[in-house]
Amino acid sequence: MSIRAIHRAGSQDLLIDLDSLDAVLALNAALEASPLPGQRDLLAAAQTVLLKFDSRHSAERAMEALPGLAVACAVRTAGKLVEVPVHYDGEDLAAVAELTGLSVEAVVNAHTSQTWRAVFGGFAPGFAYLLGENQELNVPRRDTPRTKVPAGAVALAGEYSAVYPRQSPGGWQLIGHTDLHMWDLQRENPALIRPQDTVQFVPATQRLSLNQPAEALDEPSGQAHSGGLKIIDAGLQSLLQDAGRIGYGNLGVGVAGAADPTAFRQANRLVGNRMDQAVIENLGSRITVEACGDQVLAHAGAQAQLWITPAEDDQVRTTRQVASNAPFALLHGERLSVEPGGQGLRSYLAVRGDITLKPVLGSLSTDTLSGVGPDPLVSGTVIPVQQPSVGHIVGNPQPSTLPVPDDRGVYQLRVLPGPRTEWFGPCGLKQLAKQLWDVTSESNRVGIRLSTGDQPLQRVLTGELASEGVARGSLQVPPSGLPVLFLADHPVTGGYPVIATVISEDLSAAAQLPPGSKIQFVLQPPAALTAK
């Protein structure tokens, strides 16, 4: 195995460049069998392995250990054959024909006449990168990725083909669709196609009628609880979020979790919970809940006004206001209404105790990109809560965790260069930091799409970047030159170069910036090691 370079991908992740796909698979197998100290997850791609660590210190130690790591050759294991019927009606089918110099019929024939090997997963749960037998259908990605690619879309990019398992953003060329489900949590192996499987695409003769499998969470049978919270009005978007799910990168499953980790932890701390327990994340600070049994709550994150309305049969109490960033009681039948009150985008509402729902892949987080986790909360949803054991102490009121803009009204986010700064050169990095960037309305938990009144970023390298793992906080730059800042639900892989990565300490601030906010990126000293 030959490591070409090791790059810092943000504060705690490393991107390892290797000289071949076999080297990638060998290193991936070795690190799955014997993880490095502090290693939390890994993700193999075409020419790289992305490693995630629990701290900056663990990442630094790994940078020193990796060049001397002894790795055996990759052993190819035989997978199953998966036949995928395809309706060749994709929006980009004619464009692929033009790019390859083939007729539309010849494109379909080239796609179905060869077998495709699943070499690695990524991007989304159930998304497998399929390597063909020849280069006949090697086409570039779209200059500007689509914001919505439908589930079942069959696509091409570079030397790979793939099937999108659910609706998601994407920049691949769409040539058709299939009615098969690529990802189903009800199956023993949720992914229909796994690494080392062989795929044969065949023209579909008729449309299949399949129901999308349900992925909603159920309360564990026999689990006693002492009341909870009933959602009266969920507002724009209300989700359950915890610290996220770790260790499923090679299945294409992202971490998800709270978009603003600082406010999330503060809300839990205020009610005396563990720092990783699930809370309600609300977009826009407008939500109403009702207490089922007496509860202790805390609100953190975006500025808001909190009003408690007494129960209908309560003739004594009157409507009262309570403070954010402090614990308060919500008695049985009382309703808490959260209303927007100023800065910030996302609110966090923690309830004292354990939310007794069944985790999916070890977490109660809702991943809006992949669909893994509980459904978004709606009116009438009841969240069951088990009260904690004696000894859990509520916290004292704390200051707001919201970011503060500078005198110009601009929010500063610190970034580390890379891992793909060479695609933009020194001038590109200077431009990134010099000019102001605007948060657009096309932003969500997946990422913040940026625009600028100045010049978009320009590449100094041409060609296509092979798909590779991307870290939370990555500033990925499509050919349009307008970066996308990846947040909690970002795809686990991407095919556009990352010019810089927001440090972990500033990701909470990024998650609280509404459309129209202005950002200036502040470069930090580079931290990269080239393996000799």
Side-chain angles (χ1 to χ4, degrees):
M1 179 194 71
S2 175
I3 294 178
R4 294 189 298 183
I6 303 174
H7 309 278
R8 290 298 294 265
S11 303
Q12 298 170 192
D13 300 343
L14 300 179
L15 186 69
I16 306 164
D17 273 325
L18 295 125
D19 57 6
S20 68
L21 178 58
D22 285 340
V24 167
L25 299 177
L27 180 60
N28 180 76
L31 293 177
E32 279 189 333
S34 300
L36 295 169
Q39 179 182 315
R40 303 180 74 198
D41 203 359
L42 76 167
L43 176 64
Q47 298 171 9
T48 60
V49 174
L50 179 71
L51 291 178
K52 296 177 177 291
F53 293 92
D54 59 3
S55 67
R56 185 179 281 111
H57 177 64
S58 294
E60 294 286 354
R61 288 192 300 171
M63 292 178 78
E64 297 175 0
L66 279 164
L69 191 67
V71 176
C73 294
V75 177
R76 178 170 177 177
T77 58
K80 64 183 182 296
L81 174 65
V82 181
E83 187 173 279
V84 178
V86 180
H87 305 271
Y88 286 95
D89 55 3
E91 295 180 41
D92 301 319
L93 185 56
V96 169
E98 185 175 349
L99 287 166
T100 57
L102 302 172
S103 67
V104 168
E105 293 76 13
V107 169
V108 174
N109 183 65
H111 197 242
T112 57
S113 63
Q114 59 181 309
T115 57
W116 300 77
R117 179 167 68 107
V119 287
F120 49 85
F123 180 71
F127 190 101
Y129 287 80
L130 308 175
L131 185 63
E133 298 174 316
N134 56 58
Q135 297 292 309
E136 212 172 354
L137 297 178
N138 192 326
V139 293
R141 294 175 182 83
R142 291 170 51 88
D143 287 345
T144 301
R146 290 183 171 92
T147 57
K148 291 182 180 179
V149 175
V154 179
L156 297 167
E159 57 187 340
Y160 298 100
S161 186
V163 181
Y164 282 79
R166 62 174 279 117
Q167 180 177 289
S168 61
W172 289 36
Q173 307 279 0
L174 308 185
I175 61 172
H177 77 276
T178 181
D179 299 305
L180 295 181
H181 294 140
M182 297 294 107
W183 177 262
D184 181 356
L185 285 169
Q186 307 306 313
R187 290 194 293 247
E188 181 179 357
N189 292 316
L192 180 64
I193 302 171
R194 299 172 66 89
Q196 304 305 325
D197 286 347
T198 301
V199 174
Q200 181 71 61
F201 292 105
V202 297
T205 56
Q206 62 181 1
R207 184 175 183 85
L208 302 177
S209 178
L210 298 175
N211 293 323
Q212 182 66 30
E215 295 181 3
L217 293 183
D218 297 319
E219 186 178 352
S221 59
Q223 175 71 59
H225 60 84
S226 53
L229 294 177
K230 181 178 181 180
I231 305 298
I232 305 301
D233 181 359
L236 288 176
Q237 182 189 66
S238 291
L239 309 168
L240 286 180
Q241 296 294 344
D242 55 21
R245 46 185 62 85
I246 305 297
Y248 298 97
N250 275 332
L251 288 180
V253 179
V255 175
D260 178 348
T262 303
F264 157 72
R265 290 191 294 266
Q266 176 159 301
N268 268 322
R269 187 164 52 244
L270 288 168
V271 297
N273 285 345
R274 300 188 315 272
M275 294 299 99
D276 60 350
Q277 287 184 244
V279 306
I280 299 173
E281 178 183 279
N282 172 259
L283 178 67
S285 297
R286 190 178 295 279
I287 182 174
T288 301
V289 300
E290 181 179 299
C292 304
D294 295 348
Q295 307 295 335
V296 175
L297 279 68
H299 171 275
Q303 291 177 345
Q305 294 182 351
L306 279 59
W307 299 94
I308 295 178
T309 305
E312 292 183 0
D313 59 355
D314 189 336
Q315 303 300 317
V316 178
R317 294 180 176 85
T318 59
T319 298
R320 65 190 188 276
Q321 187 172 12
V322 293
S324 294
N325 305 305
F328 57 89
L330 191 68
L331 304 182
H332 177 69
E334 291 186 330
R335 291 186 175 184
L336 169 71
S337 295
V338 179
E339 301 175 358
Q343 291 183 328
L345 186 63
R346 293 179 169 90
S347 289
Y348 292 85
L349 193 62
V351 56
R352 177 174 169 82
D354 294 316
I355 294 176
T356 56
L357 293 173
K358 183 180 178 182
V360 174
L361 301 179
S363 171
L364 286 180
S365 283
T366 299
D367 188 329
T368 59
L369 177 64
S370 70
V372 174
D375 291 332
L377 302 176
V378 296
S379 298
T381 301
V382 176
I383 303 171
V385 177
Q386 175 66 45
Q387 293 298 316
S389 58
V390 176
H392 291 250
I393 303 172
V394 297
N396 294 318
Q398 297 181 359
S400 170
T401 62
L402 285 175
V404 178
D406 62 20
D407 294 340
R408 302 169 296 165
V410 175
Y411 293 90
Q412 296 191 348
L413 299 179
R414 292 167 290 177
V415 296
L416 292 170
R420 297 301 178 196
T421 53
E422 71 273 12
W423 282 71
F424 306 93
C427 292
L429 267 179
K430 290 179 181 177
Q431 180 187 350
L432 176 73
K434 181 179 179 181
Q435 64 193 43
L436 298 182
W437 300 90
D438 299 310
V439 176
T440 73
S441 59
E442 293 183 328
S443 301
N444 51 33
R445 280 180 49 88
V446 175
I448 298 174
R449 291 179 177 265
L450 302 175
S451 63
T452 180
D454 296 315
Q455 292 295 315
L457 297 173
Q458 301 293 320
R459 296 181 181 181
V460 297
L461 296 181
T462 59
E464 290 284 310
L465 177 70
S467 292
E468 60 189 23
V470 287
R472 185 170 178 171
S474 295
L475 283 166
Q476 190 183 69
V477 186
S480 66
L482 299 176
V484 179
L485 170 53
F486 281 156
L487 297 181
D489 292 351
H490 70 84
V492 296
T493 63
Y496 301 120
V498 173
I499 187 172
T501 308
V502 175
I503 66 172
S504 58
E505 292 85 350
D506 287 1
L507 289 176
S508 288
Q512 290 291 358
L513 302 183
S517 300
K518 291 191 176 295
I519 296 174
Q520 183 162 41
F521 296 108
V522 180
L523 289 174
Q524 304 297 290
L529 171 69
T530 302
K532 300 291 186 180

